[in-house]
């Protein structure tokens, strides 16, 4: 045998040997561990599976990161939160708004605007001071912006993506989130000022129960029940703002200021409370906005110019007008205009 052929054969045998050895390498672990650890045991008791099971069950592990729940990789309750939020909150609540809106449209077509019945004399009464109007419309403007951005974040995906597409929605949603997060605290502060300033006008009095029992004269002969500066309906709106509205703001602030180290469960509960209360609030606000604009002749004029006609005041707030005529009292910030205003509405 020539030396070349011999060398070739050695090379082939060497390759086969090295290849066979490399196939055995993965099994070398058996030599380093207990030989009893068989393949069957490997499939039944995967150490990685145990690890992920622990993580999945929200068990706390070890981390050098500081902060509450930093060692909890996955929050199991997040699944429940996601189911509730994307389930009945996002699916049921929009219908509430649609139903209220449709009822207002129907009511307007059936009943129409509440007109001032007496002919206007031209005399006017100061009802809202400039700072009160500025405060009211700042709160109203912020409320509308927060309502639009908030609703967009809750069900904009379902409503807007089919219309504007994914990219445009993503850009808008990112902006809406920032606007909502930054204006929320400002709105909360202004709302708190409004509540403190107007609380004294909204203490319930016996005539308010009579007003409510007669539905503010909505049905029947249409005669207006007696009312002071604010009527029973307005007082309910005010106290709704002071309770439901404050809770909606508080739950929003819990989500806004995460630097207080609130846990993930607290944030999830705050999120659901915030969504439900805010949408309920928007539904009632639709009614307030309707009554203040299309529903009642002269109301919006009062909130924009500060003055209402004496006839409007007599029809809607007769006890308050009486007080004003007798020189006002300590609980009121308005007065009868010194000079009759020349132009009629
Ligand atoms: C564009 C939206 C709005 C319009 C057109 C509007 C209109 C009015 C009008 C005309 C009044 C005066 C009623 C009267 O003189 O008796 C009023 C009062 C009031 N509004 Fe609005 N409003 C709007 C939004 C809001 C919002 C969003 C809030 C609160 C979140 C709000 C809170 C109040 C309160 C607390 C009063 C006084 C009622 C009371 O103290 O009982 N308004 N609004």
């Amino acid at each position: 045998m020539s030396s070349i052929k011999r060398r070739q054969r050695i090379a082939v045998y060497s390759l086969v040997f090295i290849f066979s050895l490399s196939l055995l390498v993965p099994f070398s672990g058996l030599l380093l561990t207990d030989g009893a650890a068989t393949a069957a045991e490997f499939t039944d008791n995967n150490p990685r599976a145990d690890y992920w099971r622990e993580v999945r069950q929200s068990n706390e592990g070890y981390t050098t990161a500081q902060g509450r729940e930093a060692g909890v990789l996955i929050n199991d309750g997040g699944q429940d939160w996601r189911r509730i939020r994307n389930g009945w909150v996002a699916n049921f609540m929009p219908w509430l708004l649609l139903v209220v809106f449709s009822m207002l449209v129907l009511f307007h077509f059936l009943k129409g605007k509440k007109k001032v019945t007496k002919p206007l004399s031209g005399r006017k009464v100061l009802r809202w001071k400039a700072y009160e109007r500025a405060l009211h419309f700042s709160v109203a403007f912020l409320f509308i912006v927060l309502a639009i951005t908030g609703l967009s974040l809750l069900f904009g995906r379902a409503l807007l993506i089919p219309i504007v597409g994914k990219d445009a929605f993503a850009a808008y949603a990112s902006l809406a989130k920032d606007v909502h997060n930054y204006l929320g605290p400002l709105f909360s502060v202004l709302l708190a000022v409004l509540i403190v300033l107007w609380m004294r006008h909204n203490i319930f009095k016996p005539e308010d129960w009579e007003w409510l029992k007669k539905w503010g004269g909505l049905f029947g002969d249409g005669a207006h029940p007696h009312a002071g500066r604010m009527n029973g309906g307005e007082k309910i709106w005010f106290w709704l703002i002071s309770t439901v509205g404050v809770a909606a703001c508080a739950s929003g602030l819990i989500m806004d200021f995460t630097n207080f180290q609130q846990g993930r469960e607290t944030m999830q509960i705050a999120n659901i409370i915030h969504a439900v209360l805010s949408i309920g609030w928007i539904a009632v606000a639709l009614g307030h906005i309707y009554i203040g604009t299309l529903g009642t002749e002269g109301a919006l004029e009062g909130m924009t110019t500060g003055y209402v006609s004496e006839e409007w005041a007599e029809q809607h707030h007769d006890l308050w007008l009486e007080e004003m005529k007798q020189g006002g009292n300590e609980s009121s910030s308005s007065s009868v205009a010194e000079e009759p205003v020349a132009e009629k509405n």
Side-chain angles (χ1 to χ4, degrees):
M1 191 186 298
S2 72
S3 69
I4 295 176
K5 281 210 166 172
R6 217 180 79 231
R7 261 187 252 135
Q8 278 177 342
R9 199 179 307 151
I10 290 172
V12 170
Y13 284 150
S14 302
L15 278 175
V16 170
F17 179 71
I18 291 168
F19 181 69
S20 313
L21 212 62
S22 67
L23 287 179
L24 290 175
V25 167
F27 298 97
S28 61
L30 289 172
L31 299 173
L32 302 171
T33 55
D34 185 356
T38 59
E41 198 179 329
F42 171 77
T43 48
D44 285 353
N45 189 17
N46 180 357
R48 301 301 292 170
D50 283 345
Y51 172 79
W52 284 112
R53 202 167 293 126
E54 292 245 330
V55 168
R56 176 71 182 70
Q57 284 165 1
S58 302
N59 290 343
E60 186 147 9
Y62 171 75
T63 174
T64 52
Q66 299 288 308
R68 193 167 165 185
E69 297 178 14
V72 181
L73 264 184
I74 290 180
N75 172 253
D76 200 33
Q79 293 288 12
D80 297 330
W81 165 76
R82 198 176 52 82
R83 261 194 297 275
I84 297 172
R85 184 219 184 252
N86 295 354
W88 68 266
V89 174
N91 291 328
F92 163 75
M93 297 307 278
W95 292 105
L96 175 71
L97 295 180
L98 207 67
V99 167
V100 171
F101 184 77
S102 313
M103 279 166 61
L104 289 171
V105 172
L106 191 72
F107 177 86
H108 189 67
F109 281 110
L110 292 179
K111 276 276 188 187
K113 190 177 248 188
K114 195 101 195 163
K115 295 240 161 67
V116 179
T117 45
K118 281 194 180 169
L120 300 178
S121 63
R123 279 192 302 279
K124 301 224 172 181
V125 186
L126 177 63
R127 185 158 170 78
W128 302 106
K129 290 183 174 167
Y131 76 87
E132 290 179 304
R133 285 178 273 141
L135 180 63
H136 173 267
F137 280 120
S138 305
V139 167
F141 172 74
L142 290 176
F143 182 89
I144 291 168
V145 175
L146 288 168
I148 292 172
T149 49
L151 293 175
S152 305
L153 294 175
L154 187 59
F155 34 78
R157 283 173 69 91
L159 205 70
L160 295 175
I161 289 179
I163 303 169
V164 300
K166 282 186 178 171
D167 287 350
F169 175 72
Y172 164 67
S174 161
L175 183 73
K177 186 184 84 63
D178 285 344
V179 167
H180 196 86
N181 290 357
Y182 282 101
L183 291 187
L186 177 64
F187 171 78
S188 307
V189 171
L190 292 181
L191 189 77
V193 175
L194 183 147
I195 290 172
V196 170
L197 281 181
W198 288 353
M199 192 173 282
R200 67 204 169 106
H201 300 315
N202 288 281
I203 309 297
F204 276 98
K205 293 188 177 155
E207 67 259 22
D208 298 319
W209 303 115
E210 290 304 313
W211 191 96
L212 288 170
K213 270 197 260 172
K214 291 180 183 159
W215 288 81
L218 199 63
F219 306 110
D221 60 3
H224 267 273
H226 299 297
R229 191 186 201 287
M230 310 316 302
N231 62 42
E234 287 172 318
K235 287 181 184 178
I236 288 182
W237 169 232
F238 176 86
W239 288 108
L240 199 102
I241 291 170
S242 309
T243 51
V244 171
V246 167
C249 289
S251 51
L253 294 174
I254 289 174
M255 289 187 283
D256 243 345
F257 294 97
T258 48
N259 38 323
F260 289 111
Q261 296 249 337
Q262 48 273 52
R264 278 172 269 190
E265 204 181 329
T266 309
M267 301 278 276
Q268 286 151 10
I269 294 170
N271 179 275
I272 300 296
I273 290 178
H274 187 69
V276 173
L277 295 187
S278 302
I279 295 178
W281 191 8
I282 296 170
V284 185
L286 288 177
H288 171 75
I289 294 170
Y290 167 72
I291 294 171
T293 51
L294 292 177
T296 318
E297 185 181 31
L300 188 61
E301 187 195 307
M303 206 27 120
T304 46
T305 66
Y307 287 91
V308 291
S309 68
E310 209 173 281
E311 293 70 29
W312 183 92
E314 191 187 344
Q315 187 171 322
H316 294 280
H317 299 276
D318 55 344
L319 302 177
W320 170 67
L321 182 68
E322 274 309 305
E323 269 176 36
M324 291 302 100
K325 281 186 169 167
Q326 287 161 18
N329 76 11
E330 74 288 346
S331 70
S332 176
S333 59
S334 312
S335 63
V336 179
E338 292 287 312
E339 294 291 322
V341 179
E343 79 276 15
K344 302 201 172 191
N345 345 352

